[in-house]
């Protein structure tokens, strides 16, 4: 199922969200913090809001944005995997209309020898298999 996400259908797309957070294993990361880049895809059926043009029939991008902001700017996590997991599960918990969520968490400022855009993680969580009933 994860190999072809296009089969999941419609999705909300949030790209290039940028927040300052204090995540990482090193003490400097926890003390000084750094910039994090976040992308989120949230799969849900968008046919009804497409027909009705009514905000009540969809999930607001702003709601997902606030979830990401709260988690990235919130309590420190050691691993990007934990940050991504918190974003994914909170999004699924708060919005029953969303069937799956993809979260990319990137660190653009990493101590590696060479140029890069960012290093990070990408996770995909499905309501049907990853959320307790």
């Amino acid at each position: 199922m994860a190999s072809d996400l296009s089969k999941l259908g419609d999705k909300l797309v949030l790209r290039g969200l940028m927040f300052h957070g204090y995540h990482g294993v090193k003490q400097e990361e926890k003390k000084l913090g750094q910039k994090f880049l976040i992308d989120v895809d949230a799969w849900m059926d968008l046919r009804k809001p497409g027909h009705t043009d009514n905000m009540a029939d969809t999930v607001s991008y702003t709601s997902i944005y606030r979830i990401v902001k709260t988690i990235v700017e919130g309590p420190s996590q050691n691993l990007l995997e934990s940050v991504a997991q918190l974003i994914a599960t909170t999004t699924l918990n708060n919005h029953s209309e969303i069937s799956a969520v993809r979260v990319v968490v990137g660190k653009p400022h990493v101590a590696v020898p060479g140029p890069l855009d960012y290093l990070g993680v990408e996770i995909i969580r499905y309501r049907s298999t990853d959320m307790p009933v």
Side-chain angles (χ1 to χ4, degrees):
M1 185 174 192
S3 62
D4 189 3
L5 295 174
S6 65
K7 291 181 182 178
L8 290 176
D10 306 336
K11 66 182 176 180
L12 301 175
V13 178
L14 290 84
R15 291 285 181 271
L17 285 64
M18 199 176 310
F19 303 102
H20 189 85
Y22 296 87
H23 311 290
V25 178
K26 298 177 183 171
Q27 283 305 327
E28 303 82 42
E29 294 173 308
K30 292 185 178 300
K31 183 178 177 185
L32 302 173
Q34 61 190 303
K35 180 170 55 172
F36 291 88
L37 298 173
I38 314 293
D39 292 340
V40 177
D41 291 323
W43 280 269
M44 64 178 286
D45 190 340
L46 298 175
R47 283 179 280 224
K48 185 174 181 182
H51 290 295
T52 66
D53 196 29
N54 187 336
M55 189 64 204
D57 294 329
T58 191
V59 171
S60 170
Y61 304 107
T62 305
S63 176
I64 297 171
Y65 180 93
R66 281 191 207 114
I67 290 168
V68 175
K69 178 178 173 55
T70 298
I71 290 168
V72 176
E73 293 181 347
S76 176
Q77 302 294 317
N78 288 326
L79 303 177
L80 297 184
E81 292 86 341
S82 295
V83 175
Q85 181 70 28
L86 285 168
I87 293 168
T89 56
T90 304
T91 300
L92 290 170
N93 280 331
N94 289 7
H95 300 290
S96 60
E97 310 89 336
I98 295 173
S99 59
V101 64
R102 173 186 157 270
V103 179
V104 178
V105 179
K107 278 180 161 180
H109 304 294
V110 194
V112 296
L116 55 87
D117 287 336
Y118 65 86
L119 300 178
V121 300
E122 176 178 339
I123 67 167
I124 301 164
R125 297 293 178 262
Y126 302 92
R127 176 173 305 286
S128 61
T129 56
D130 295 308
M131 298 303 293
V133 179

